[in-house]
Amino acid sequence: MSLSDAVLTQILVQLEALQVGQQTLQAKLDALTNPVSPSASPRRNGTSISGQSVDGALPGVAPGPTAISPPSPVSSTSIASTAASNATSDKTISDREREKLLYPGRVLLTTYPDQYGIKPFPLRWGASDPLERGPVICSRLPSSIKQRNAIGAHSGSYSIYRALSIAMGTLDPTHKPDYSNTQPAVPVPPQPAWSDPSKIVSFDPWGHLVPQVFKHESAELGLDIRPSIAVTKAHMKLSEIDEAARRGELKVDGKILLKSYPLHNADGSPSDADPGVEIACSKAAVEPVWYLPGVAERFGISESLLRRALFEDTGGMYPELITRPDIKVFLPPIGNLTVYIFGNPAYLSDESKELTLRVHDECNGSDVFGSDICTCKPYLLYAIEECVRGAQRGGVGLVVYFRKEGRALGEVTKYLVYNLRKRGGDSADKYFKSTELIAGVKDMRFQALMPDVLHWLGIKKIDNMVSMSDMKYNAIVQSGIPILRRYDIPEHLLPPDSRVEIDAKIAAGYFSSHRQLTEADLVKTVGRTWEETEH
């Protein structure tokens, strides 16, 4: 054994000793603060779930400091079901008792590669065959915990709500989803990029086919394997598109753009009002699944630095990022992306078809509630119109919507910046400086991972990119997808108070087909004050 191995072994032994000591103290505290009659306490593996010690074992502590105990003769399903039913029944059950029913073993803070019983299911990122690639397994259920090959949890940030539902007793943690009739509504077939581990590193390209390709592993081996992508169809109804059709800017073709069903009055009688139009589209929701070596390479940093930063700066939420270097996949607690396809999805990978693209980062204030301080909503609507026109010309349109609110700084930070801007003189020359004063950085969207979804869809070239962003353009082109045409948002669509933002961005490098701005120009671009009520 080398000196470094010996030192690591000593550190591991000391950590294990500390862990056992903490568990012993916790057990004693439980016994003092939550005395429960042993006769009333469910039992598991000779250990009282109430916290009382039986058969000489420490309360809730499995034999050996790092061993993972085998499943109990009492099935995890029955225990979870009991906890869920007791939570809603007339019989009162304490939170401590419910906790012991849901989580009868000791608290397992982390695992190690050479730990007894640990055997991750093989996962080879970038393999062309899904069975050779292997499923992504992050579940801590007894049926899967020993074979976990991924850190984190499904559903991104919504995993927190799932945990809350389990704690409240409204969700059985062992609930097995029935995926019958949930297969993709339109095909998204394998593309060459799926087997290139450098092209897709931020989500699982097989994520929409999990119930089909990993049926054996799920149904027969009992592993908890879940889809991370869902593909469906929809009709999009937007009042702004209604108005564009009424002005003759969009034409109803009965295929891409449809006339809406007749309206009804409040009394239920038919209405003579124009019902407007709706757009037929396909869409896919894609959850993040990070292949850590590929993500690190994409950002030009080491995998160890990436892991350390993700561990330290999420409050230490995921210790296995440090203790399990053998696990290369991480499901981060961040928002997903949504793909909207206008026209035939098969045309996305057909280089002979015209492709119109908008990559849009979430802006709740503008996109949903119509705030006029930025160009987000009008640019998004303009892109949807352009996608419809492109599809009607025989091509295909694509809008990719990322959950990166406020340049990935978050909505609270964004609103604080708004306050600073409006109180400190809202001019274009101070736009990015205001953000840096609050957040320490002007933008955290880091578009390096963004092109993955384009490669997943088999896109090889983009005819029309409805975006002015230099970062998005550079990321796509550097990933190997050429962009033939870029165009900016028409001037007449700019909200008055958004001029500060758009001028600052153009001066910082955003594409503009007709404007060149100097620092002196930015000083003259001033936003509306809070006190202004007349326009």
Side-chain angles (χ1 to χ4, degrees):
M1 179 182 293
S2 67
L3 179 61
S4 60
D5 288 342
V7 171
L8 288 173
T9 300
Q10 291 178 6
I11 293 173
L12 179 58
V13 170
Q14 292 174 11
L15 285 173
E16 292 171 351
L18 287 171
Q19 186 181 34
V20 172
Q22 180 197 25
Q23 292 164 348
T24 303
L25 289 173
Q26 183 64 51
K28 292 179 178 179
L29 178 63
D30 288 348
L32 290 172
T33 58
N34 297 283
V36 180
S37 170
S39 61
S41 302
R43 295 169 64 89
R44 177 181 171 92
N45 286 347
T47 302
S48 165
I49 294 177
S50 70
Q52 301 294 320
S53 177
V54 236
D55 295 345
L58 288 173
V61 181
T66 60
I68 292 185
S69 301
S72 167
V74 180
S75 74
S76 60
T77 302
S78 64
I79 289 175
S81 300
T82 300
S85 62
N86 283 345
T88 56
S89 68
D90 293 334
K91 179 182 176 182
T92 302
I93 180 171
S94 70
D95 284 353
R96 174 59 65 182
E97 289 174 311
R98 190 192 309 170
E99 180 182 347
K100 292 296 183 182
L101 286 168
L102 286 169
Y103 313 108
R106 63 183 175 83
V107 176
L108 190 66
L109 296 178
T110 192
T111 58
Y112 303 89
D114 57 352
Q115 188 172 342
Y116 174 77
I118 290 290
K119 189 177 181 181
F121 199 94
L123 194 156
R124 183 184 161 211
W125 197 269
S128 57
D129 181 89
L131 299 181
E132 182 185 355
R133 203 294 303 271
V136 173
I137 306 170
C138 63
S139 172
R140 288 171 62 96
L141 290 176
S143 64
S144 302
I145 188 168
K146 295 181 183 181
Q147 294 185 275
R148 287 169 67 244
N149 56 20
I151 302 165
H154 282 292
S155 301
S157 58
Y158 294 102
S159 61
I160 303 300
Y161 292 101
R162 184 178 187 274
L164 183 60
S165 295
I166 292 171
M168 293 175 65
T170 59
L171 173 64
D172 182 344
T174 64
H175 168 71
K176 192 172 182 63
D178 181 358
Y179 293 119
S180 302
N181 296 320
T182 64
Q183 60 268 26
V186 296
V188 181
Q191 301 292 336
W194 294 21
S195 56
D196 184 343
S198 68
K199 289 296 185 184
I200 301 176
V201 300
S202 60
F203 61 88
D204 179 6
W206 298 97
H208 58 309
L209 301 174
V210 161
Q212 291 78 44
V213 298
F214 298 120
K215 186 176 181 179
H216 169 75
E217 289 79 359
S218 178
E220 298 184 31
L221 300 184
L223 298 174
D224 186 13
I225 307 169
R226 299 177 180 247
S228 57
I229 300 175
V231 184
T232 189
K233 293 181 181 180
H235 281 196
M236 185 181 291
K237 180 69 174 173
L238 299 167
S239 59
E240 292 86 354
I241 300 299
D242 289 342
E243 292 301 319
R246 292 185 185 114
R247 292 191 300 266
E249 297 169 5
L250 292 174
K251 303 295 183 182
V252 173
D253 62 355
K255 185 177 180 182
I256 307 297
L257 193 65
L258 316 171
K259 196 68 178 177
S260 295
Y261 286 115
L263 302 174
H264 289 82
N265 297 315
D267 61 2
S269 61
S271 172
D272 295 331
D274 178 16
V277 297
E278 50 202 64
I279 307 169
C281 64
S282 307
K283 58 183 182 179
V286 182
E287 291 178 359
V289 179
W290 285 8
Y291 176 58
L292 292 172
V295 172
E297 183 178 0
R298 198 74 65 85
F299 287 115
I301 59 176
S302 68
E303 183 186 342
S304 61
L305 174 57
L306 174 65
R307 286 173 175 267
R308 184 66 183 268
L310 290 172
F311 169 71
E312 296 286 356
D313 293 298
T314 58
M317 285 179 66
Y318 302 99
E320 285 176 314
L321 286 167
I322 304 300
T323 65
R324 295 299 302 276
D326 60 314
I327 293 182
K328 300 296 184 181
V329 173
F330 174 51
L331 281 66
I334 59 176
N336 65 304
L337 67 90
T338 309
V339 171
Y340 294 89
I341 304 169
F342 306 90
N344 189 340
Y347 290 175
L348 291 168
S349 58
D350 185 344
E351 291 185 80
S352 70
K353 303 297 183 181
E354 178 187 4
L355 193 155
T356 302
L357 170 70
R358 165 80 179 164
V359 175
H360 191 92
D361 293 324
E362 178 183 31
C363 179
N364 182 61
S366 177
D367 297 343
V368 179
F369 293 99
S371 172
D372 69 345
I373 200 171
C374 62
T375 62
C376 297
K377 182 175 185 175
Y379 216 163
L380 176 59
L381 290 167
Y382 175 62
I384 292 173
E385 291 183 25
E386 286 294 287
C387 286
V388 170
R389 294 186 188 101
Q392 290 180 331
R393 290 192 295 265
V396 62
L398 178 67
V399 171
V400 184
Y401 194 93
F402 283 88
R403 302 315 193 275
K404 297 179 182 178
E405 177 66 58
R407 292 187 231 131
L409 301 171
E411 202 165 25
V412 170
T413 297
K414 182 165 75 170
Y415 285 11
L416 293 173
V417 173
Y418 287 168
N419 289 347
L420 175 60
R421 285 173 53 188
K422 294 303 181 182
R423 289 191 176 111
D426 189 15
S427 57
D429 63 310
K430 301 176 183 176
Y431 177 79
F432 285 115
K433 185 63 176 177
S434 297
T435 302
E436 290 178 313
L437 286 172
I438 302 295
V441 62
K442 66 175 67 173
D443 197 324
M444 290 199 306
R445 286 174 291 181
F446 306 127
Q447 302 293 347
L449 302 178
M450 175 267 293
D452 287 19
V453 67
L454 307 181
H455 292 288
W456 178 62
L457 294 167
I459 293 173
K460 301 175 184 66
K461 58 91 182 163
I462 296 163
D463 296 274
N464 311 305
M465 183 170 178
V466 191
S467 173
M468 300 167 69
S469 170
D470 54 328
M471 291 190 297
K472 293 174 183 175
Y473 174 85
N474 292 338
I476 293 172
V477 172
Q478 289 169 9
S479 78
I481 301 175
I483 296 173
L484 306 185
R485 178 193 176 204
R486 307 167 69 186
Y487 47 106
D488 39 6
I489 185 171
E491 286 285 318
H492 71 278
L493 296 179
L494 291 175
D497 202 33
S498 69
R499 178 61 70 181
V500 170
E501 175 206 52
I502 201 66
D503 281 6
K505 289 181 175 180
I506 291 172
Y510 267 43
F511 170 78
S512 177
S513 59
H514 57 279
R515 302 190 72 204
Q516 298 294 325
L517 297 172
T518 65
E519 190 69 23
D521 296 323
L522 297 183
V523 175
K524 300 174 187 176
T525 304
V526 179
R528 187 184 64 246
T529 65
W530 282 333
E531 291 73 24
E532 290 182 51
T533 57
E534 297 182 3
H535 300 283

